[in-house]
Amino acid sequence: MSAFCAANQLKLEVLVYDNNGPLFEDLASGHIDVAGGHLTVTKDRLQRFKFTQPINNTSVSLVTHYEYRDIEQLSELNGARGFLLKGSSYVDYLTQFNAQQQKNITISDDHSLFDIIREINSKNIDFTLGDSEIITIYQNFIPGLYTPVQVSNNQKVALMTHHNQSTVLLEKLNQFIVDKAQSGLFETFKEQLLSYIPDIDTANTVTFFKKLQTVWPEVRDWVYAVAKALDFDPMLLAAISYQESHWDVDATSITGVKGLMMLTRYTAKEMGVTDRTDPIQSLQGGVKYFRTMKNKLPERIRDTDRTKLALAAYNMGYGHLEDARILTQRNGKNPDLWSDVKNYLPQLNNPDVANTLKHGTADGKTARTYVENIMIFRKLMAWQQQKDKN
C-alpha cells in the first residue's frame, strides 16, 4: 500500500488488527478504506465487500503438533482440540470436520493466529487451519509445527474495499496491481519479506516467549524509563538487554561481564557506570556504548544498516567490525550494507583470513547471530507492544 499511495500522492495510515472481526467491522463502517493482510476471496466476503485484482495465491492447511504429524485426513483428529479464528475464511471449512469433531472446535475472536500457533506449540491446542504461506513464515519462529493435510485448493488473495467506496479507488488499485504484477514488484516484496527472516534457532524464540511472560514485567519499567530519558527505541533496548542477559539483572559471565547489558569493567568505566548490576545504570551504559559504536560508522550508511552494524560492533568490538567491512570490500561487495557484511563476519573465525587483517581473529559467527537474534526479538517485542495496546 505504501507504493500505491506514493504513486497516487495519498497519505497512508496503517492500522493493525489481531484478527478479521474488528478489521471487517471497520471496513464495513468506512473507518478504513482498504483492508489487506492475506485476505482470501470467498463467496461470503464477496457479498459484503469489493475485491481488487488478486495479488497472490494461497491454500489452507491443517496446522498441528508432533502427535498428529503423520495423519492423512481430518477424520483422524477425533478427540483433538481445535481453534479457528472467527471472521476468517478458515471457518468455511468447518463442514469438512465430522459432527463430533466440530464440538471440539472453538471459534475464537479473542486470539490472533499467532496466539493460536503458540498454543499448538505448547500442546494446549491440537490444531487450527492457516494459510500455507503464513504458516511457512511462522515455522521460522516456532518449532514443532506440522501441516500434514491440505484442506483447500489454491485460492486468490486480494485487497478489499467496502461496497460504498468510490469505484475510482478500486479502479486505481486494480490498475496498480496489474502494472506492478507485470513488473515483478510483488515477487520482489515477497523476496524482501523472506530476507528479513533471520537464521534463528526456533528454540530461542520459545525461551523468549517464556521470559516475556515471566521476567519482562519485572524489567519493563526500567527499560521504558531509560529509553524515554535517552530518546532511544524501547523495543530495541528490550531486545538488546534480552539477548545480553535474558533480562537477568544479576547476570554474570565467566569472562566477568555483568548486568542487564553485560558490560565489561572497562566499558562500564568508559560509559560512567559505577555499578554494573544496577539495572538503570546498566541500561544507560548500554545505550551510550551502542551509540558510541554507531557514531563511529560513516554517516553515509543508512540507519537500518547502521543499527545492525553497530550491534555487531557492540558484540565483537569496532575494530573487528571494520576488518569485516574491509573483507567485504575486498570481495567486491558493499561494506555499508549489513546484508553484505554479515556474509563475511564468519571468516573472522578463520585465522588464515583474519590474520591478513589489522585486528586478527574474532568470533564473527556469534556476532552475526547476535545481530539477527536482536532484530527478530525487536520485532516480536513490537508485536507484543501492539497487542498490549489493543
Side-chain angles (χ1 to χ4, degrees):
M1 284 304 299
S2 60
F4 170 76
C5 289
N8 290 275
Q9 293 81 49
L10 298 173
K11 180 181 178 182
L12 176 64
E13 180 181 356
V14 178
L15 300 180
V16 179
Y17 297 82
D18 277 342
N19 54 60
N20 289 344
L23 172 67
F24 292 167
E25 288 178 8
D26 281 358
L27 183 63
S29 69
H31 181 66
I32 60 175
D33 300 301
V34 181
H38 223 73
L39 298 173
T40 53
V41 181
T42 68
K43 290 182 179 179
D44 178 65
R45 291 173 181 174
L46 282 169
Q47 292 176 359
R48 302 172 59 199
F49 305 105
K50 296 177 182 177
F51 279 90
T52 65
Q53 291 290 318
I55 59 176
N56 198 7
N57 291 290
T58 190
S59 61
V60 176
S61 296
L62 176 76
V63 187
T64 186
H65 52 64
Y66 182 85
E67 292 181 9
Y68 295 96
R69 71 191 186 282
D70 293 326
I71 69 171
E72 296 180 354
Q73 48 192 354
L74 297 180
S75 60
E76 298 177 60
L77 287 168
N78 281 334
R81 299 154 299 172
F83 260 65
L84 298 181
L85 290 173
K86 184 177 181 180
S88 71
S89 62
Y90 314 138
V91 178
D92 296 344
Y93 299 98
L94 262 178
T95 55
Q96 295 196 27
F97 297 91
N98 63 45
Q100 185 58 44
Q101 288 173 325
Q102 290 184 30
K103 293 179 180 179
N104 292 331
I105 297 175
T106 300
I107 310 299
S108 173
D109 59 359
D110 295 326
H111 300 79
S112 67
L113 180 59
F114 197 82
D115 292 329
I116 295 174
I117 294 299
R118 286 177 54 195
E119 291 299 302
I120 290 174
N121 165 260
S122 302
K123 294 186 178 180
N124 296 323
I125 298 172
D126 294 315
F127 69 89
T128 190
L129 300 179
D131 285 5
S132 55
E133 287 194 341
I134 296 176
I135 300 305
T136 298
I137 293 174
Y138 284 163
Q139 285 173 323
N140 287 275
F141 307 124
I142 301 178
L145 299 180
Y146 298 87
T147 54
V149 180
Q150 182 173 318
V151 178
S152 78
N153 296 321
N154 281 345
Q155 296 178 307
K156 295 177 181 179
V157 175
L159 303 175
M160 295 196 319
T161 67
H162 57 79
H163 270 302
N164 295 329
Q165 180 61 260
S166 167
T167 57
V168 175
L169 175 61
L170 191 63
E171 290 170 358
K172 286 186 174 294
L173 281 167
N174 283 335
Q175 188 60 55
F176 179 83
I177 289 169
V178 171
D179 291 345
K180 297 307 178 183
Q182 293 175 350
S183 70
L185 179 66
F186 297 126
E187 288 301 316
T188 299
F189 282 163
K190 287 172 66 175
E191 292 173 3
Q192 290 175 344
L193 173 62
L194 293 175
S195 73
Y196 280 106
I197 300 176
D199 183 16
I200 184 171
D201 185 347
T202 49
N204 287 341
T205 59
V206 173
T207 301
F208 171 80
F209 282 122
K210 290 179 179 177
K211 297 287 185 180
L212 189 62
Q213 298 298 318
T214 59
V215 185
W216 168 244
E218 299 175 7
V219 303
R220 177 176 52 210
D221 290 346
W222 294 325
V223 170
Y224 275 106
V226 170
K228 182 177 181 179
L230 298 182
D231 191 24
F232 195 79
D233 177 4
M235 297 299 94
L236 179 58
L237 183 55
I240 297 172
S241 56
Y242 174 78
Q243 176 66 26
E244 288 287 349
S245 65
H246 281 199
W247 296 321
D248 180 358
V249 296
D250 298 316
T252 303
S253 79
I254 57 174
T255 59
V257 295
K258 291 184 177 182
L260 275 177
M261 300 295 278
M262 297 298 274
L263 302 175
T264 65
R265 184 177 287 105
Y266 175 79
T267 299
K269 183 178 180 180
E270 287 290 302
M271 299 299 115
V273 174
T274 58
D275 182 358
R276 288 181 289 165
T277 61
D278 178 272
I280 294 293
Q281 286 196 45
S282 182
L283 291 165
Q284 290 172 336
V287 171
K288 292 176 182 178
Y289 185 61
F290 170 80
R291 282 181 166 159
T292 299
M293 297 298 100
K294 195 172 184 179
N295 290 337
K296 287 184 177 183
L297 289 161
E299 292 184 4
R300 66 177 179 271
I301 301 176
R302 64 179 185 176
D303 190 63
T304 52
D305 289 299
R306 286 170 65 86
T307 293
K308 295 173 184 178
L309 292 170
L311 286 170
Y314 187 106
N315 178 258
M316 68 191 304
Y318 189 80
H320 291 303
L321 173 67
E322 280 300 288
D323 282 352
R325 295 182 65 234
I326 290 170
L327 188 61
T328 303
Q329 191 167 32
R330 281 184 189 175
N331 285 273
K333 299 298 182 180
N334 191 337
D336 295 345
L337 294 178
W338 169 252
S339 58
D340 284 350
V341 175
K342 72 176 184 179
N343 293 327
Y344 293 92
L345 280 171
Q347 294 196 28
L348 298 183
N349 293 71
N350 183 352
D352 292 339
V353 175
N355 288 337
T356 68
L357 299 162
K358 182 176 180 180
H359 299 90
T361 58
D363 193 354
K365 292 180 181 178
T366 295
R368 182 174 71 175
T369 300
Y370 175 89
V371 176
E372 298 285 14
N373 283 1
I374 286 174
M375 297 315 293
I376 192 57
F377 292 144
R378 180 192 189 186
K379 289 180 182 179
L380 293 175
M381 288 299 307
W383 168 82
Q384 183 66 40
Q385 182 189 45
Q386 182 64 44
K387 186 172 182 295
D388 290 343
K389 285 182 180 179
N390 295 338

